[in-house]
Amino acid sequence: MPAASDRDTLVAALVEQFDALIELGRQLGDDQWDTASECPGWTVKDLYSHVIGTELMLLGRPDEAIDVGDAPHLHNEIGEFNEVAIAHRRDRSGAEVLAELEAVVAERVAALEAMTQADFDAESFTPAGQDTYGRFMQIRVFDCWIHEQDAREALDLPGHASGHAVDVSLDEHTGAVGFVIGKKAGAAEGQSVRLRLTGDTERTIDVRVDGRATVVDDLEDPTTTITIPTLLWFRYAAGRRPGDASHPDVTIEGDQDLGTRVLANAAYTI
């Protein structure tokens, strides 16, 4: 059963992810919470506030809507919605935000553990459109893991580069790689790309353009092969920094122009 449907896999990944955020938060001093992240306008504390806001929404008691102003990093309604949680907690200390996360996570884990496979298979709104509640939770693992990595990058505290949550995040991401290569990078009919992710968690994702760009498992001679550390690829894919083909940890074999275009167009998240 794919990760997007398997309740046990997703609950385990979410629990691991929540624990990782809490463990990281417990290491931080007061000043570290105010460290700017690569998410425009957000500090480490704001990343945690954002996670709390979404989990409260999933518990059925979202933060009260308030005017968040017109900050330069707010570009759409989703951005304005996300900013509400940050605005509500702006005057709180990092320790207070962490304590709230711990309390909210305890409720969410209890709610998740009470759900059945049928609940996870039920139709649901997701950030990617209508799908199942399981798909929503797969996206949720990915979102929380990316924000944990945002905090770690800002604080120069690398970690949580392997585990259930990372595997589920890669499962979620794999579905978007065809869009990145075909639609954004403009790979032509008959071209193919092998994305080789390396590091503590490794994965090879093969995409061929045959009418449309599709992830395949029978690619033998890719037009281009990109080899890149998994964590670096996700800085690009999440739009945290421009995709850089000249980075010393990146190699492109085969069609250099196509590989460079893929990296330059890697960002796809909201």
Side-chain angles (χ1 to χ4, degrees):
M1 186 179 293
S5 300
D6 182 19
R7 172 223 178 260
D8 292 346
T9 297
L10 290 167
V11 172
L14 283 162
V15 169
E16 177 191 296
Q17 184 53 55
F18 292 147
D19 286 347
L21 281 164
I22 291 168
E23 180 182 354
L24 175 61
R26 288 173 177 169
Q27 299 175 38
L28 305 186
D30 293 343
D31 292 344
Q32 288 175 293
W33 287 101
D34 295 324
T35 304
S37 77
E38 288 182 327
C39 294
W42 283 9
T43 65
V44 169
K45 184 179 74 174
D46 295 336
L47 296 168
Y48 277 69
S49 295
H50 168 55
V51 172
I52 291 169
T54 304
E55 296 306 319
L56 284 174
M57 179 193 71
L58 289 165
L59 286 168
R61 52 174 200 276
D63 287 310
E64 181 182 356
I66 55 174
D67 183 3
V68 296
D70 57 354
H73 62 278
L74 301 180
H75 303 296
N76 50 44
E77 290 184 1
I78 293 176
E80 292 173 3
F81 173 81
N82 289 337
E83 197 71 13
V84 168
I86 281 78
H88 272 288
R89 294 163 181 83
R90 184 157 288 123
D91 295 331
R92 302 181 194 175
S93 69
E96 289 173 317
V97 169
L98 179 62
E100 183 181 13
L101 177 66
E102 292 185 28
V104 169
V105 159
E107 287 189 68
R108 276 288 291 146
V109 170
L112 288 163
E113 289 179 342
M115 296 179 74
T116 65
Q117 184 62 56
D119 295 324
F120 273 68
D121 292 339
E123 185 176 357
S124 171
F125 161 82
T126 85
Q130 287 297 117
D131 207 311
T132 65
Y133 188 82
R135 173 73 191 289
F136 194 171
M137 292 305 97
Q138 177 168 278
I139 295 171
R140 194 78 199 108
V141 174
F142 176 68
D143 188 55
C144 290
W145 180 68
I146 286 291
H147 286 311
E148 180 201 346
Q149 293 304 316
D150 290 334
R152 290 185 178 280
E153 185 72 20
L155 297 163
D156 194 21
L157 292 172
H160 199 197
S162 63
H164 292 312
V166 185
D167 291 337
V168 169
S169 295
L170 276 165
D171 290 342
E172 171 58 30
H173 173 66
T174 296
V177 176
F179 168 75
V180 168
I181 290 169
K183 192 74 171 179
K184 296 201 68 193
E189 181 73 16
Q191 290 189 316
S192 57
V193 174
R194 171 163 291 158
L195 178 63
R196 183 180 291 131
L197 303 178
T198 65
D200 290 349
T201 297
E202 298 185 341
R203 185 165 303 192
T204 296
I205 305 171
D206 290 338
V207 173
R208 181 191 298 121
V209 182
D210 183 6
R212 60 177 296 180
T214 305
V215 176
V216 297
D217 58 9
D218 62 347
L219 188 61
E220 294 183 358
D221 187 20
T223 307
T224 189
T225 297
I226 301 168
T227 303
I228 182 172
T230 299
L231 294 184
L232 179 60
W233 169 256
F234 277 105
R235 304 320 292 162
Y236 298 164
R240 303 314 194 239
R241 62 184 72 163
D244 180 8
S246 67
H247 192 287
D249 293 334
V250 174
T251 62
I252 300 173
E253 301 170 71
D255 189 321
Q256 297 291 308
D257 178 65
L258 177 57
T260 298
R261 293 203 319 269
V262 169
L263 290 163
N265 291 278
Y268 75 95
T269 62
I270 295 174

